[in-house]
Amino acid sequence: MPAATYPDSVSIYGYLPDDRFPVAFMSLVAEVQPRRQTEDLQRALYELLDASPAWSLGMELTAQGMDLMGNERPYDCDDLVDFFFTDARTLDEYENVQYRLITFEQIGELRGILAKTLQQPLFPDEKAGWEELASRLSLLTAGSLISVYSY
């Protein structure tokens, strides 16, 4: 069954323990001055992320509570969405994209929220991506992540 609402996009970029890029990138996001060509700026930031990780995953999550016809989403993903928005950074003129640095100490919290979310009846296309992330997180023994949540 296809999603009843438009899905949000979530990209996760994994980094090795000695990689300083995640912290440097998050500092860069905080310092970037938005400009008229915000799409070009967003593209440049994504290119920088895509060129640097040890691994990356892109997923979708239908986070809206209802579609335009009033049909309710059949699952609860509020904790997962809230996690990606906590301590996130945005560009002033492009607030629908949330960048978050997830340190290794915070990955346990993400694992728990993800395990709870995966017990919900997610749409099949969405569930496969989140199961892949759960698998990767279960193997992770060090390092950090950057999440990019766009809605």
Side-chain angles (χ1 to χ4, degrees), residues 14-17 55 57 104 107-108 111 114 130-145:
Y15 296 91
L16 301 174
W55 57 270
L57 284 173
F104 184 71
I107 289 173
R111 282 183 188 131
L114 190 52
W130 293 102
E131 286 175 336
E132 174 67 18
L133 178 60
S135 175
R136 286 188 185 252
L137 292 180
S138 70
L139 300 173
L140 202 59
T141 57
S144 58
L145 310 172

Side-chain angles (χ1 to χ4, degrees), residues 39-121:
E39 288 183 19
D40 290 343
L41 178 58
Q42 283 295 115
R43 192 174 309 116
L45 290 172
Y46 273 105
E47 287 172 0
L48 190 56
L49 282 170
D50 286 336
S52 61
W55 57 270
S56 66
L57 284 173
M59 286 110 18
E60 291 182 342
L61 187 65
T62 304
Q64 297 94 333
M66 292 188 182
D67 68 8
L68 297 176
M69 306 300 211
N71 299 312
E72 281 193 74
R73 176 188 63 227
Y75 55 88
D76 178 14
C77 63
D78 294 342
D79 291 344
L80 185 60
V81 172
D82 290 346
F83 178 85
F84 289 119
F85 279 67
T86 303
D87 298 324
R89 295 194 180 147
T90 67
L91 302 176
D92 291 341
E93 296 176 19
Y94 213 72
E95 295 177 352
N96 65 327
V97 178
Q98 305 282 324
Y99 296 93
R100 179 177 179 187
L101 174 65
I102 304 167
T103 64
F104 184 71
E105 293 75 27
Q106 297 165 327
I107 289 173
E109 180 183 356
L110 177 56
R111 282 183 188 131
I113 293 169
L114 190 52
K116 180 179 160 189
T117 303
L118 284 171
Q119 293 175 11
Q120 302 292 327

